[in-house]
Amino acid sequence: MTKQKLIAITGPSSSGKTKLSIELAKKLNGEIISVDSRQIYKELDIGSAKPTIEEREGIPHYLMDVVDITQEYTVADFCDAARIKIKEILNKGKIPILAGGTGLYFRVLLQDFDLPRVAPNIELRKELEQKTSEELYNQLMKLDPDIAEKIHFNNKVKIIRALEVCLTLGIPMSKAQKKKEAEYNTLWFGLNSENRDFLYNRVNKRVDIMFEQGLLNEAKNLFEKYGQNKILMGTIGYQELYPLLKSEIDFETASNLLKQNTRRYAKRQISWFKANKDINWFDIEQIPFDEIWESIINIYRKS
């Protein structure tokens, strides 16, 4: 059976994935599925770099603004929803273009990786949330060092989820993960820059633009509405602004911290995506934007 063909656009923060995916959708009669674990949430607009309606240029975008930030949303939920949207787009005779920077979403949906389905355990989570990130990370290192090495030691949400799976199944999460055959014929494309300073300058500039667009006011309204919500406190772009809003640090310190955390996240994204040997990489410093999308279109039409 012939696998359905689709396009995946990956890469680190600030590399131009949104702009490229929209241009490809215009040229190839495509529609876009966001592969972003924060754009999935309503109200996380500026801080998640969600494209505005104007920026989308009339191209349908899916899996943005799907759930409230008070709701649970898992990788399995994303994959289930994405499969439905892929089928709908294909049935319209259009091309699904999946674009974003959440590596795990890409891996589980489009590669050979399958996660165990474990329902949320609210009581267990409440118990785990009483511990510090360091305590949780040390616990995960004992239960499943392979998984622990792939999670940042300060990412409390992901650490708790990994512990939840380990403790519920009674085996390491890494042992419960299974291999599967990839469902789709995915053409992979990645944006990056070998000149790390070039990419980091783009990151810094984007943070400045976010503040100009009203990021601080957005964060203020969200914290006033939801308090120390775990999604807000676990999201780059908001977590750095909480101490600023509490007058614990000044604006310059918060801005620099946000830029630093985003640069570090971009570095982790690069490491994750570089492990995928199927990605065709384009250096955004060396190759003009028009040449990138023209090359992708040529590869798509020849495949």
Side-chain angles (χ1 to χ4, degrees), residues 12-13 36-37 101-103 158 236 260-270:
S13 178
D36 189 295
S37 64
T102 301
K158 286 189 177 180
I236 296 171
Q260 180 186 68
N261 286 345
T262 307
R263 293 193 301 267
R264 287 175 175 171
Y265 178 57
K267 186 177 179 180
R268 294 197 298 275
Q269 288 176 301
I270 293 168

Side-chain angles (χ1 to χ4, degrees), residues 235-253:
T235 300
I236 296 171
Y238 301 98
Q239 61 187 17
E240 298 84 1
L241 302 187
Y242 185 77
L244 170 61
L245 294 168
K246 288 292 186 179
S247 300
E248 295 170 1
I249 59 175
D250 60 21
F251 177 82
E252 184 178 2
T253 301

Side-chain angles (χ1 to χ4, degrees), residues 7-11 17-22 31-36 39 61-62 64 78 96-102 106 110:
I7 292 173
I9 305 296
T10 68
K17 300 181 293 295
T18 297
K19 182 181 178 182
L20 176 61
S21 63
I22 290 170
E31 294 185 350
I32 296 168
I33 297 174
S34 169
V35 187
D36 189 295
Q39 291 183 358
H61 283 63
Y62 303 106
M64 288 181 181
F78 168 80
I97 300 172
L98 289 89
T102 301
F106 271 117
L110 300 181

Side-chain angles (χ1 to χ4, degrees), residues 63-64 71 74 78 117 133 141 148 177 182 210 232 262 279:
L63 301 194
M64 288 181 181
Q71 292 179 261
T74 66
F78 168 80
R117 287 182 179 251
S133 295
M141 280 294 290
Q177 293 169 344
M210 284 178 168
L232 287 174
T262 307
I279 295 178

